[in-house]
Structure formats: structure tokens, C-alpha cells
């Protein structure tokens, strides 16, 4: 998009948690998404939304962008490991 002879928006549109950004790069590293958003921690984790499906992404992944389609990314919380609490076992087997 041009305004007053100056380019205002990049060729590729990226939606990060509803925040629209643009880029002239054909690909983006997932590790760059938090900086591009501007309000997320650098360690934020992301999923990419494609046709209603969420695809988990690693920080080292590189995503190709399309001029014909907006790329949708969602930030997610840290991975949660579920563990049962350690309980003393007082089970006795009686015959």
C-alpha cells in the first residue's frame, strides 16, 4: 500500500493474536514473531492457525508467507507437564 508516494505496508500480512503486522520477507522465523508483535515476551510460544487447525511451532521453525493469504499465529502459554502427586502407598494385598 502506498500513501503520499511512500510504501506503508509490506507485501505479506501476518496476524499475531489479532494484531495485524506486515512484512516484505517471504518467510519468517517463529522466534521473530514476538518482536514483530511488540507486546509479547521473547520466549513466547506459538501455533499457526490453518483452516481451523492449530499447528504447534518451535522457535527454530521458518514459515513461508503468501501474498494471497493472511498468516494467522496465536501465542500459547508454556508447556504444562501433568504429574500425579507422590502419595505414600499403603496398599496391602490380602489373600
Amino acid at each position: 500500500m502506498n500513501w503520499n508516494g511512500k510504501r506503508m505496508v509490506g507485501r505479506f500480512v501476518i496476524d499475531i493474536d489479532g494484531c495485524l503486522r506486515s512484512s516484505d520477507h517471504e518467510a519468517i522465523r517463529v522466534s521473530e514473531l514476538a518482536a514483530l508483535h511488540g507486546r509479547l515476551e521473547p520466549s513466547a510460544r506459538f501455533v499457526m492457525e490453518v483452516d481451523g487447525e492449530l499447528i504447534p511451532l518451535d522457535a527454530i521453525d521458518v514459515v513461508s508467507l503468501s501474498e494471497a493469504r493472511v498468516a494467522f499465529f496465536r501465542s500459547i502459554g508454556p508447556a504444562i507437564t501433568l504429574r500425579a502427586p507422590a502419595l505414600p502407598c499403603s496398599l496391602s494385598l490380602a489373600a
Side-chain angles (χ1 to χ4, degrees):
M1 171 188 247
N2 293 323
W3 184 74
N4 263 354
K6 295 181 182 178
R7 187 179 184 113
M8 300 301 293
V9 178
R11 296 180 357 223
F12 305 97
V13 178
I14 303 164
D15 178 309
I16 308 168
D17 291 338
C19 181
L20 293 178
R21 297 291 188 239
S22 67
S23 175
D24 281 324
H25 301 288
E26 293 181 2
I28 188 165
R29 290 185 188 280
V30 173
S31 60
E32 298 170 345
L33 289 174
L36 187 61
H37 182 278
R39 293 184 180 172
L40 295 173
E41 294 292 323
S43 61
R45 298 183 56 218
F46 293 92
V47 294
M48 183 174 183
E49 188 176 333
V50 179
D51 296 327
E53 287 190 49
L54 298 177
I55 302 167
L57 300 170
D58 288 327
I60 60 172
D61 290 339
V62 177
V63 178
S64 296
L65 302 173
S66 167
E67 288 183 66
R69 233 180 140 152
V70 175
F72 291 92
F73 297 94
R74 302 290 171 250
S75 61
I76 57 173
I80 299 171
T81 304
L82 300 177
R83 288 189 193 157
L87 299 174
C89 183
S90 59
L91 179 67
S92 62
L93 298 175

